[in-house]
């Protein structure tokens, strides 16, 4: 509610639809692999992330026009198996699917993160695509900065932290947006069968090769993925 009110007021809004849709799936099943796993396949992206010992999140890139009804459990497991090459790496540990929701990959940043005495944090301040898993991390970062600034204002009558709130948070938000955008380009080749798509796919593979082979590239990835 506050985001909508502020966006209509005096702030700038930087927004982008990345043109990609994921089906976000929660399965009542233990993780199938020991780490977060991203799979690139000509059918589209697939992802695997442990959530708890009994629950695992999976992602499948799907056509934007698909609905959750187009994806019954059996189709989800079959497609995950194809994209994650289970015939080579072993079967996925399956279980009932408790959530299947399309997620459109979007970015949306307000600037400044404030209107008069209203301060925005978390998804109200900035939306980020889940490709680099940064949204909750940014929300906690902003909440921590804002909590410190509010404490200074209320306890010591010092409003410098509040005045600097946007200036402190926005560079970190944009850095996460930039990495998230880099991840989108890493994880999604075009799905078409034409020369332009072939070229883009070759670039994607080259980027992955570089990430596999170059220590400098791995350091860049690790620093941004884990957080500065
Ligand atoms: C599929 C998916 C996967 C994700 N995975 C990751 C990940 O792996 N890592 C990561 O860091 N981030 C991830 N994120 C992003 C993360 O979930 C969000 O960025 C984060 O939850 C934002 O926190 P928030 O407190 O700003 O908003 P929310 O968590 O959305 O909390 C807002 C709360 O306000 C309540 N609310 C809304 N309107 C009102 C109202 N009018 N009155 C009262 N209450 C109201 C809502 O019910 C909600 O409980 C993911 C997001 C999605 C969609």
């Amino acid at each position: 509610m506050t985001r909508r009110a502020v966006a209509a007021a005096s702030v700038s809004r930087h927004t982008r639809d990345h043109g990609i849709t994921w089906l976000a799936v929660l399965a009542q099943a233990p993780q199938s692999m020991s780490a977060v796993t991203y799979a690139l396949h000509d059918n589209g992206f697939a992802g695997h992330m442990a959530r708890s010992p009994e629950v695992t999140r999976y992602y499948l890139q799907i056509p934007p026009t698909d609905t959750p009804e187009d994806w019954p459990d059996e189709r989800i497991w079959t497609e995950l198996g194809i994209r994650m090459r289970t015939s080579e790496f072993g079967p996925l540990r399956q279980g009932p699917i408790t959530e299947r929701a399309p997620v459109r990959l979007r970015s949306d940043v307000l600037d400044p993160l404030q209107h008069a005495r209203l301060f925005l944090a978390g998804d109200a301040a900035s939306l980020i695509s889940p490709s680099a898993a940064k949204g909750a991390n940014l929300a906690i970062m902003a909440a921590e900065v804002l909590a410190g600034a509010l404490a200074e204002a209320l306890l010591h009558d010092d409003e410098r932290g509040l005045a600097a709130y946007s200036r402190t948070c926005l560079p970190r938000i944009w850095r996460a947006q930039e990495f998230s955008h880099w991840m989108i380009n890493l994880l999604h080749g075009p799905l078409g069968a034409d020369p332009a798509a072939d070229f883009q796919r070759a670039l994607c593979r080259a980027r992955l090769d570089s990430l596999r082979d170059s220590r400098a590239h791995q350091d860049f990835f690790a620093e941004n993925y884990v957080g500065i």
Side-chain angles (χ1 to χ4, degrees):
M1 289 170 74
T2 48
R3 160 176 255 273
R4 280 200 295 276
V6 168
S10 59
V11 304
S12 304
R13 185 172 173 190
H14 306 281
T15 185
R16 173 137 186 194
D17 183 333
H18 300 285
I20 293 166
T21 303
W22 286 0
L23 187 70
V25 170
L26 274 184
Q28 197 69 39
Q31 66 193 90
S32 299
M33 289 153 247
S34 59
V36 170
T37 308
Y38 296 113
L40 278 75
H41 192 276
D42 286 349
N43 290 4
F45 164 78
H48 157 279
M49 281 153 218
R51 280 294 184 254
S52 75
E54 297 87 25
V55 174
T56 304
R57 181 173 283 296
Y58 288 95
Y59 293 116
L60 275 174
Q61 182 182 358
I62 59 169
T65 46
D66 277 15
T67 64
E69 291 71 42
D70 294 321
W71 288 88
D73 289 25
E74 199 185 325
R75 185 178 178 201
I76 289 175
W77 289 117
T78 303
E79 194 58 30
L80 283 171
I82 293 170
R83 297 187 196 181
M84 297 196 152
R85 304 211 316 244
T86 47
S87 54
E88 209 173 317
F89 295 114
L92 299 174
R93 300 168 83 178
Q94 300 187 9
I97 287 174
T98 53
E99 183 192 298
R100 77 199 75 208
V103 178
R104 186 83 178 169
L105 269 52
R106 292 191 297 129
S107 301
D108 199 350
V109 182
L110 298 186
D111 182 359
L113 309 174
Q114 171 188 3
H115 178 61
R117 303 294 279 174
L118 174 68
F119 295 86
L120 300 178
D123 281 3
S126 67
L127 282 176
I128 189 164
S129 85
S131 55
K134 292 286 181 198
N137 290 279
L138 284 179
I140 291 167
M141 179 279 295
E144 188 185 7
V145 173
L146 187 55
L150 285 171
E152 284 301 307
L154 294 170
L155 299 176
H156 303 116
D157 210 18
D158 179 351
E159 299 221 348
R160 282 175 299 176
L162 285 181
Y165 173 66
S166 275
R167 276 203 309 281
T168 307
C169 293
L170 277 170
R172 301 185 199 182
I173 288 171
W174 279 112
R175 182 131 185 212
Q177 289 283 358
E178 193 279 326
F179 181 62
S180 184
H181 196 248
W182 183 89
M183 285 288 285
I184 289 174
N185 288 325
L186 181 77
L187 299 177
H188 304 90
L191 300 179
D194 55 77
D198 286 346
F199 183 80
Q200 286 299 329
R201 267 193 291 274
L203 287 186
C204 252
R205 274 195 297 274
R207 219 174 276 133
L208 268 183
D209 286 346
S210 170
L211 191 54
R212 190 188 55 219
D213 298 336
S214 156
R215 177 60 207 240
H217 209 155
Q218 289 161 5
D219 283 348
F220 161 84
F221 178 84
E223 187 178 86
N224 280 282
Y225 197 79
V226 174
I228 312 298

